[in-house]
Amino acid sequence: MNILIKNAVLVDPVEGTERQEDILIQNERIAAIGTCLQADGAQVIDAAGCCAAPGLVDIHVHLREPGFEYKETIASGCAAAARGGVTSVACMPNTRPVIDTPELVRMVREKAACGIHVFPIAAVSVGQGGETLTDASALKAAGAPALSDDGVPVQSALLVRQALLAAGQLGMPVLSHCEDAGLVGNYAVNEGEISRKLGIPGRPAVAEELMAMRDAMLAEETGASVHICHVSTANTVEIVRQFKRRGVSITCETCPQYFTLTQEAILTHGAMARVNPPLRTERDRAAVLEGLRDGTIDAIVTDHAPHSAEEKARPLTEAPSGMVGLETSLALSLTALYHKGHMSLPAVIAAMTVKPAKILGLSKGTLQVGGSADLVLFNPDEEWVIDPARFVSKGRNTPFGGFKVKGKVNATIADGAMIYREG
Ligand code: DOR
Ligand code: ZN
Ligand code: ZN
């Protein structure tokens, strides 16, 4: 089926422009972009008042399969992506078993559903055990674009250095989920005012910053590429800024929760606001925002981390960390960054499309004639209230329930097929 999208404002994250154009999709590809396009027999979508952008590319998602299908399956996670305007996801290997072999990488890819492009990130160490390196070359050949031990970050500098050397030769980045294990224990919140108020131990910001500094230095020394996952503190932003200035191959991401919320959210939302790394202070939130504005922070991701209702109903200190994000990331980003005047629309879209795609070397995240037809149509000004009961993800764990946001996904197209349409 050919699709002709009429009268959309095309948000181009590469050119940094917004301009009214028609878009013609034929045979899974973008056949033409221009004014007053015609196409006999095509399905015509009148997108007046809407923006068209490349389908979002979320490079930090937990799909939970295999092993934790009660939290999410690859299929339910892909459906959530489609509803959120996301057409490509890179999923983390902290499943059971851990994604640490080429067979498992292939298995996850084959289960991709709803037309979503799924790129499995493979583990750095066997079983995320932090001791033995996986086979980077075989994992890459199977389709893994990067290596990460995600929330069980490699504590040994020796192993990280070896991983950077191995992955670096293959042009693969290592994704580092920075927190020093000894400093953070299994604690629930940021160390500071809120942890003291609650009388519980906390996760200090320096636990993140130490590891970010270690991995930045190892990237400089090895010449390999490191990517710092969901930056949450002012000092981490500054570390990345300085190492970028020195020409080191370092990139980083953050999530809507870190530029929207602060640690105080724990007091109102309890375990729903528990996430690793934890929500921080207002000063950190402002620094993350500034990092996005000046380009120090390359990408916005979700760290979509579904958990069951029962798990999140446990007391704060016993509930698992993480929140879902695929169905709310565009709205939260537009609300906090674009509508508040901090970033232009193309700049926000770039941080959610072409820039994350580039980090993983994926040919995604742009809208070009001849390129694949992955698109999101959204109304940047439509207001709505986040209602977790309507999520198609199995996870309903979000602190953003009841939040009024501005920016709504109307339709998502992947490889030329309509994979989500509102209503
Ligand atoms: O909050 C988090 N949730 N942080 C992690 O590092 C892991 C993730 C999960 O898998 O639930
Ligand atoms: Zn995480
Ligand atoms: Zn994660």
Side-chain angles (χ1 to χ4, degrees):
M1 171 61 116
N2 299 334
I3 301 176
L4 178 59
I5 300 163
K6 301 284 289 178
N7 309 314
V9 173
L10 193 156
V11 181
D12 187 332
V14 178
E15 303 290 331
T17 55
E18 297 163 61
R19 50 186 206 272
Q20 187 146 334
E21 303 269 18
D22 298 343
I23 302 166
L24 177 63
I25 298 167
Q26 277 173 342
N27 305 326
E28 305 182 10
R29 310 225 144 238
I30 301 199
I33 296 175
T35 44
C36 304
L37 295 183
Q38 309 268 357
D40 287 343
Q43 175 188 358
V44 177
I45 298 175
D46 182 5
C50 266
C51 291
L56 306 181
V57 178
D58 189 340
I59 62 167
H60 194 142
V61 169
H62 296 269
L63 292 179
R64 304 299 191 207
E65 191 178 345
F68 300 98
E69 289 83 354
Y70 69 95
K71 296 179 196 257
E72 191 85 288
T73 60
I74 295 172
S76 64
C78 285
R83 186 163 181 261
V86 176
T87 52
S88 296
V89 303
C91 58
M92 285 294 170
N94 63 333
T95 47
R96 197 170 58 210
V98 169
I99 308 299
D100 59 4
T101 66
E103 293 71 30
L104 285 161
V105 169
R106 277 189 221 105
M107 190 274 276
V108 172
R109 287 180 60 200
E110 277 157 20
K111 287 202 170 183
C114 284
I116 302 294
H117 309 288
V118 174
F119 301 94
I121 291 162
V124 172
S125 69
V126 173
Q128 288 179 298
E131 285 181 1
T132 312
L133 283 187
T134 54
D135 184 346
S137 167
L139 292 162
K140 184 180 175 169
L147 301 177
S148 180
D149 272 1
D150 190 62
V152 195
V154 179
Q155 301 297 306
S156 156
L158 170 65
L159 203 76
V160 175
R161 186 163 180 251
Q162 289 172 340
L164 282 167
L165 288 169
Q169 278 191 340
L170 301 162
M172 260 174 133
V174 172
L175 280 39
S176 182
H177 189 293
C178 295
E179 274 193 313
D180 178 277
L183 284 170
V184 299
N186 188 29
Y187 305 146
V189 301
N190 184 42
E191 181 182 291
E193 214 182 302
I194 302 301
S195 66
R196 282 193 290 277
K197 190 176 263 179
L198 296 172
I200 56 178
R203 311 170 81 93
V206 76
E208 175 181 319
E209 295 149 1
L210 278 172
M211 197 175 276
M213 179 60 99
R214 177 198 73 176
D215 293 349
M217 292 185 76
L218 288 171
E220 179 165 48
E221 188 243 356
T222 58
S225 299
V226 76
H227 173 75
I228 308 295
C229 294
H230 41 45
V231 166
S232 76
T233 88
N235 280 344
T236 309
V237 175
E238 189 52 29
I239 289 164
V240 175
R241 188 177 282 125
Q242 293 304 330
F243 276 77
K244 279 189 167 182
R245 262 185 211 150
R246 282 154 64 165
V248 176
S249 184
I250 185 168
T251 53
C252 71
E253 67 191 32
T254 193
C255 313
Q257 51 267 30
Y258 301 114
F259 56 76
T260 306
L261 301 175
T262 57
Q263 56 185 352
E264 281 73 20
I266 289 284
L267 300 177
T268 36
H269 300 280
M272 288 300 189
R274 178 174 176 173
V275 63
N276 298 340
L279 301 172
R280 308 284 190 185
T281 66
E282 176 52 29
R283 179 176 160 265
D284 295 307
R285 191 192 68 84
V288 166
L289 219 148
E290 184 52 33
L292 278 164
R293 274 166 55 91
D294 75 7
T296 299
I297 300 178
D298 303 87
I300 300 168
V301 302
T302 57
D303 200 10
H304 178 81
H307 294 292
S308 72
E310 181 276 317
E311 288 168 322
K312 276 295 195 182
R314 293 176 196 159
L316 176 64
T317 53
E318 287 155 43
S321 299
M323 48 185 78
V324 291
L326 283 168
E327 294 171 75
T328 52
S329 60
L330 180 62
L332 287 169
S333 299
L334 292 175
T335 302
L337 304 173
Y338 168 61
H339 290 297
K340 292 227 166 107
H342 299 300
M343 287 169 79
S344 71
L345 200 45
V348 174
I349 295 299
M352 303 184 83
T353 55
V354 66
K355 290 167 96 180
K358 190 166 168 233
I359 291 167
L360 295 193
L362 313 174
S363 53
K364 298 284 174 198
T366 61
L367 276 185
Q368 284 165 331
V369 174
S372 55
D374 292 348
L375 282 85
V376 56
L377 297 181
F378 64 97
N379 181 338
D381 297 316
E382 186 175 338
E383 287 195 341
W384 58 289
V385 175
I386 295 175
D387 177 5
R390 304 187 69 155
F391 288 168
V392 298
S393 167
K394 285 195 186 184
R396 303 279 155 92
N397 49 303
T398 174
F400 293 111
F403 262 59
K404 200 196 248 186
V405 287
K406 214 167 164 185
K408 188 133 209 254
V409 173
N410 297 121
T412 308
I413 296 170
D415 285 335
M418 183 88 64
I419 60 169
Y420 170 75
R421 195 150 192 196
E422 197 194 353

